Amino acid sequence: MITHSIRRRLVIGSAAITATALALAGCGRSEETPSGGSQATTTVSEGPATGNLTVWAMGTEGENLPKLMQQFQQANPGVKVSVTPIPWDSAHNKFTTAITAQTLPDAAMVGTTWMGEFADLGALDPTPQGFDNESFYPGALDTTKVGGTQYGVPWYVETRLVYYRKDLATKAGITEPPTDWDGLKAMAKAMKEKAGAKYGINLQPGGSGSWQTVMPFAWSAGANLTNEDQKEFTFDTPEMVEGLRYYQSFFTEKLAGTDLPPNQTEAQFVNGQVPMFISGPWMAGSVAKLGGDAIKPNIGVFEIPKNKTSTSFVGGSNFVVFKTSKNKDSAWKLVKFLSDPKTQAAWFKMSSDLPAVKSTWEDPSIASDPLLPVFGKQLESAKAPPAVVNWEQVANAFDTEIEKMAKAGQSAEDTAKATQTQATSIGTGS
Amino acid sequence: MRRTWWIYLIGVLGLVAVAAPFAWMVLGSFKTQGELLRVPPTWWPEQPTGQNYADLFSKANFPRYFLNSTLVALAVTAGNLTFCSMIGYALAKLRFKGRNALFVLVMATLMIPGMVTFVPLFVLVTNAGMANSYPGLILPFLVSPFGVFLMRQFFSGLPDDLMDAGRVDGSSELGIFARIMLPLTRPALATLGILTFLGSWNNFLWPLVIAQTENMYTLPVALALYSKGQNAQNFGLLMAGAVVVVVPVLVMFLVFQRHVTKGIAITGIK
């Protein structure tokens, strides 16, 4: 009775939840990998959306989305959208279980790093024609592409910049934010020597997600995580080593600390202990919440300093339609509505999620903000990790090697080699 | 008295170790996010605020989540007390063919980690049309192999003479179980009750996965939803939520724990 495909989904679904995920998810796939072809041929029909639509969205997005859906329902009187907010904790489990049991909603918000896995499980519907892909940031658009096929569209984005204390920078004699690697190093040094900081800059010395701070430097040095067709990892390259060596030098020169308590980035920034860090747009809010009105005018951001390029990390979420949906046509109309520049602006005002559509950034609510336009500029060249099935696993291995490099003095060359060896044995999974 | 001071010392140290995190949680629920993140941390809230609680109860449907959690936990507890004691009694005291094989089977299911059966169970429940419903939340947990094991072991310790006495006096088999044997297992029932209630009350993954709409969420799921974002956490809200979640469990424990000790003293013929 149980067909091969159901059994396969059972295996992968269980695996994703249990600790054996690492071993099993790698070998289950293959036959069902979506067939090639760059863009699906189906198109979204004209006319308003109709029927019932169920939508999943995580966290605050899930809380705020019903407000936006009212606008959609006004424009399409025949449709009823019910939004289920999903906690970020275990949201991934909820999706993989639902994929296994085929109890998916019509459309959902999906984290950019899950795209490869979900597409490989055959859960996502390829994006039909009629979407203006030119309107999105290219780095964000790349996160929707798995093996040459596009699934869903970028919904909102975030990228990483260097944050700094303006007042302390002045004290350290820095008048212009640095634009190159030497400049950043000099600034961190000045912060430490002249502005009384314990460390010049807060860099994550390994641990979960530290690759997101390392890769902007490596990307800027010209490194890539995979080769062109995303089949092989390319960690062991001179460019990657250059990025890693630069990152490590902050630790060896005592400009960044390995002895700081974790999760205190905001506090250390506010009390001047560590007046610089690299992070995303949400940190401006967290710092202001902690430091109050006094800190607000002193928060400054600048783009990732340039080596060959200035290339940061792009994250965020995509909006997808699931293959199992019985109302795909209307679901795609909803996705289209969400990626409309006007909707994107309205959504920014409700959620402060940064729009994935470039033209929305001209909206006065964003353009007049003191910090946001810098994010917009960085986003134009920002890159995403490859949408391959095993990326999260490889990222974990990378994080561990980064920790060895920052804390135990493992050389940049050895770090690159060790990561490459592990990444090759894990494989891309596609 | 002279030599017992160190017993008190150990007791006080233990109490501090156990109670301090609770005190921190309760106090933390009255702090602002800024104060919670401050280094060095503060113990007493500097500017006590009720905002976290106000946020908590204004966020969507908190009474509904509370109701869901309570309903599910009570139903699961009642089910476990009823069925586990019945099966435990049968396995311990009634003689029938295949009794031991049955017991081994129950024990075997105890050895399988829940995570392994998670997805198949979900598929089963969904195919039975119970996704997003109370039966879906309750039914899979109505009886637990651990409960059966606990009750069987306890019934085994009760003397058969009590049953014989009941039979001589003309009681029915059901009467012997319900009127004579079951009341004697009160400490075991209390233990099972507390453990089951706690397990169900704190269960996170199953309600998250089985609930398809927000109005079927239980407290832990709702708490995770509202206090944790993709990149930032609202610690104040999390603390306030944790306090609200913990209170019913404490009450439950206080109600049941009296029976745990009381029962031992009144067990049967010796």
Side-chain angles (χ1 to χ4, degrees):
Chain A
M1 270 309 276
I2 298 182
T3 66
H4 174 71
S5 78
I6 292 179
R7 192 182 306 128
R8 188 177 144 268
R9 271 188 268 112
L10 275 170
V11 168
I12 294 185
S14 318
I17 290 182
T18 54
T20 52
L22 312 186
L24 290 177
C27 45
R29 97 216 93 66
S30 69
E31 295 91 335
E32 255 188 302
T33 23
S35 53
S38 54
Q39 190 76 268
T41 43
T42 52
T43 48
V44 185
S45 72
E46 294 294 316
T50 52
N52 288 328
L53 286 175
T54 52
V55 172
W56 287 358
M58 277 77 83
T60 24
E61 281 71 31
E63 280 177 66
N64 290 321
L65 196 56
K67 278 182 261 168
L68 193 66
M69 288 301 104
Q70 284 170 6
Q71 294 181 13
F72 181 67
Q73 290 176 117
Q74 268 160 20
N76 302 274
V79 78
K80 192 181 171 305
V81 184
S82 27
V83 178
T84 305
I86 315 270
W88 271 107
D89 276 354
S90 304
H92 184 260
N93 281 348
K94 172 136 178 145
F95 274 106
T96 44
T97 317
I99 289 171
T100 310
Q102 307 268 288
T103 54
L104 289 158
D106 295 296
M109 155 186 171
V110 164
T112 51
T113 49
W114 302 343
M115 294 295 290
E117 184 185 358
F118 293 177
D120 191 66
L121 285 166
L124 306 178
D125 198 38
T127 314
Q129 272 160 2
F131 281 89
D132 182 12
N133 285 333
E134 297 294 312
S135 69
F136 302 111
Y137 282 108
L141 187 67
D142 282 345
T143 65
T144 63
K145 288 180 182 163
V146 184
T149 310
Q150 187 189 347
Y151 301 95
V153 296
W155 187 28
Y156 67 87
V157 290
E158 54 100 345
T159 190
R160 310 295 158 87
L161 296 180
V162 187
Y163 280 74
Y164 72 108
R165 279 275 296 268
K166 282 185 177 169
D167 51 340
L168 292 177
T170 316
K171 207 172 157 191
I174 309 277
T175 44
E176 283 285 307
T179 53
D180 58 9
W181 281 15
D182 291 342
L184 180 68
K185 188 69 90 41
M187 182 171 179
K189 212 171 248 162
M191 284 289 202
K192 189 176 174 179
E193 284 162 7
K194 296 185 201 152
K198 189 176 177 200
Y199 290 111
I201 185 166
N202 207 328
L203 295 175
Q204 207 181 331
S208 183
S210 50
W211 64 272
Q212 295 176 359
T213 320
V214 172
M215 277 318 288
F217 292 118
W219 274 321
S220 298
N224 279 307
L225 284 166
T226 61
N227 63 358
E228 200 60 36
D229 60 3
Q230 304 200 338
K231 293 272 185 243
E232 277 165 48
F233 289 103
T234 53
F235 282 96
D236 195 9
T237 60
E239 293 84 9
M240 185 70 80
V241 170
E242 192 181 356
L244 290 171
R245 192 179 292 138
Y246 182 65
Y247 195 79
Q248 187 183 29
S249 69
F250 281 94
F251 294 99
T252 47
E253 292 168 35
K254 303 280 177 220
L255 297 173
T258 53
D259 56 347
L260 293 166
N263 303 322
Q264 296 294 340
T265 310
E266 297 100 319
Q268 289 152 0
F269 183 79
V270 169
N271 66 20
Q273 227 181 2
V274 191
M276 299 208 290
F277 62 84
I278 296 175
S279 192
W282 62 89
M283 278 306 250
S286 309
V287 167
K289 217 172 186 179
L290 182 65
D293 287 335
I295 198 79
K296 271 186 205 158
N298 288 325
I299 306 175
V301 291
F302 57 87
E303 287 179 65
I304 297 294
K306 202 169 158 181
N307 180 309
K308 287 191 187 66
T309 57
S310 157
T311 308
S312 191
F313 165 89
V314 61
S317 283
N318 299 333
F319 225 92
V320 301
V321 171
F322 289 105
K323 254 189 194 149
T324 49
S325 165
K326 294 203 172 66
N327 200 358
K328 273 188 214 171
D329 194 53
S330 293
W332 280 115
K333 277 174 191 158
L334 172 70
V335 175
K336 211 163 197 174
F337 166 79
L338 289 172
S339 56
D340 182 87
K342 269 187 246 123
T343 320
Q344 290 256 306
W347 179 242
F348 167 75
K349 282 163 204 161
M350 286 176 193
S351 66
S352 59
D353 283 341
L354 301 181
V357 173
K358 283 184 273 183
S359 61
T360 307
W361 286 71
E362 286 152 24
D363 191 274
S365 59
I366 300 179
S368 63
D369 187 278
L371 304 178
L372 290 180
V374 190
F375 284 97
K377 196 137 177 297
Q378 183 82 73
L379 275 165
E380 281 165 18
S381 60
K383 281 192 183 177
V388 295
V389 183
N390 295 343
W391 171 247
E392 296 275 328
Q393 255 176 279
V394 174
N396 277 340
F398 194 17
D399 286 339
T400 313
E401 293 305 322
I402 291 168
E403 185 155 5
K404 286 185 199 159
M405 181 180 80
K407 288 185 176 164
Q410 172 174 278
S411 76
E413 286 82 1
D414 289 347
T415 307
K417 270 201 192 74
T419 313
Q420 179 65 28
T421 312
Q422 291 183 57
T424 312
S425 76
I426 294 166
T428 57
S430 42
Chain B
M1 277 311 276
R2 224 165 13 94
R3 299 174 77 196
T4 54
W5 64 269
W6 57 271
I7 294 179
Y8 284 99
L9 184 73
I10 292 171
V12 166
L13 285 178
L15 185 73
V16 168
V18 171
F22 274 99
W24 171 259
M25 177 181 79
V26 174
L27 291 172
S29 68
F30 293 102
K31 289 178 193 166
T32 59
Q33 175 90 349
E35 195 180 341
L36 274 166
L37 288 176
R38 194 173 308 159
V39 194
T42 53
W43 183 244
W44 285 107
E46 279 172 3
Q47 296 150 330
T49 167
Q51 193 57 39
N52 292 325
Y53 288 95
D55 283 351
L56 190 68
F57 288 102
S58 66
K59 287 258 189 201
N61 228 336
F62 229 79
R64 173 76 195 223
Y65 308 140
F66 209 96
L67 178 80
N68 288 346
S69 267
T70 313
L71 212 68
V72 171
L74 285 180
V76 168
T77 309
N80 266 280
L81 292 182
T82 315
F83 298 123
C84 291
S85 59
M86 283 171 139
I87 303 169
Y89 175 75
L91 289 177
K93 291 293 175 199
L94 302 183
R95 292 208 185 85
F96 56 93
K97 221 175 179 183
R99 184 178 78 165
N100 286 333
L102 211 58
F103 181 59
V104 168
L105 197 68
V106 172
M107 291 303 293
T109 61
L110 199 60
M111 306 298 159
I112 302 168
M115 278 303 167
V116 174
T117 56
F118 192 88
V119 173
L121 185 65
F122 178 73
V123 175
L124 202 70
V125 170
T126 311
N127 287 346
M130 290 189 289
N132 205 32
S133 68
Y134 287 115
L137 285 166
I138 295 165
L139 216 57
F141 305 102
L142 266 189
V143 57
S144 69
F146 169 74
V148 172
F149 172 70
L150 185 83
M151 293 312 292
R152 182 207 175 258
Q153 296 310 95
F154 202 88
F155 275 117
S156 300
L158 297 179
D160 283 349
D161 304 348
L162 286 172
M163 298 162 68
D164 293 337
R167 287 191 186 107
V168 167
D169 288 344
S171 171
S172 69
E173 285 298 315
L174 197 65
I176 292 172
F177 166 70
R179 310 251 290 277
I180 302 174
M181 300 301 271
L182 195 60
L184 291 174
T185 61
R186 204 188 277 176
L189 287 175
T191 310
L192 184 61
I194 289 172
L195 291 178
T196 313
F197 188 87
L198 270 178
S200 173
W201 188 260
N202 294 335
N203 200 356
F204 172 72
L205 202 53
W206 182 260
L208 167 72
V209 170
I210 205 80
Q212 306 291 316
T213 55
E214 206 185 341
N215 61 6
M216 291 308 290
Y217 278 180
T218 57
L219 279 175
V221 180
L223 198 57
L225 173 64
Y226 290 114
S227 61
K228 200 169 175 197
Q230 187 175 15
N231 300 305
Q233 273 206 39
N234 189 342
F235 289 105
L237 194 70
L238 190 67
M239 300 280 182
V243 171
V244 173
V245 171
V246 152
V247 167
V249 177
L250 277 179
V251 171
M252 201 70 189
F253 184 78
L254 289 176
V255 168
F256 274 111
Q257 62 104 24
R258 289 186 308 128
H259 298 286
V260 176
T261 42
K262 206 182 191 178
I264 295 166
I266 57 168
T267 308
I269 313 162
K270 276 275 134 87

